[in-house]
């Protein structure tokens, strides 16, 4: 059996150690977010061309995205302040806290 080959020109360099580092950059997140935006946009266009049955699924994606944001904020709260999070969300600290705190109303 041969070892799997990796196309090094297609694979970015990744650290071999797996420790948590607060300052570690997650470069692939920007590319992943851009890809996700393209997929959701294309899905909306396809529905707009006559797939009325798909409209409800597209609307549910908004709920899924809100759930994903809540998970992200919950994880980030271990390291970052509400002010840090609010700046990235383009809102005030109080608004971010009210919307995304575990004790706050949805």
């Amino acid at each position: 059996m041969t070892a799997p080959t990796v196309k090094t020109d297609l694979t970015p360099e990744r650290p071999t150690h797996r420790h948590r580092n607060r300052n570690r950059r997650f470069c692939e997140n920007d590319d992943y977010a851009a890809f996700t935006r393209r997929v959701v946009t294309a899905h909306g266009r396809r529905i707009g061309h006559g797939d009325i049955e798909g409209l409800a699924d597209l609307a549910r994606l908004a709920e899924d995205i809100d759930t994903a944001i809540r998970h992200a904020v919950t994880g980030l709260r271990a390291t970052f302040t509400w002010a840090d999070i609010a700046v990235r969300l383009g809102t005030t600290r109080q608004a971010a806290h009210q919307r995304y705190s575990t004790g706050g109303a949805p």
Side-chain angles (χ1 to χ4, degrees):
M1 182 176 199
T2 61
T5 58
V6 175
K7 295 181 180 180
T8 56
D9 55 330
L10 299 177
T11 307
E13 291 294 321
R14 299 220 194 306
T16 55
H17 56 284
R18 297 279 182 204
H19 69 281
R20 292 179 68 129
N21 182 349
R22 179 178 175 179
N23 297 322
R24 186 172 132 196
R25 286 194 48 169
F26 294 92
C27 332
E28 63 274 358
N29 281 348
D30 291 340
D31 294 334
Y32 193 70
F35 169 73
T36 304
R37 280 191 296 275
R38 287 192 307 270
V39 168
V40 171
T41 300
H43 187 48
R45 276 194 221 114
R46 290 177 69 132
I47 291 169
H49 286 275
D51 181 15
I52 195 162
E53 298 303 322
L55 187 59
D57 286 334
L58 185 61
R60 277 192 293 275
L61 281 176
E63 296 170 13
D64 294 340
I65 289 170
D66 192 54
T67 299
I69 293 169
R70 287 179 188 282
H71 287 295
V73 169
T74 299
L76 291 171
R77 281 291 298 137
T79 308
F80 297 96
T81 67
W82 282 113
D84 294 329
I85 292 167
V87 166
R88 275 54 175 206
L89 293 173
T91 189
T92 65
R93 178 196 56 79
Q94 183 178 5
H97 181 267
Q98 286 177 345
R99 180 161 184 181
Y100 297 109
S101 70
T102 54

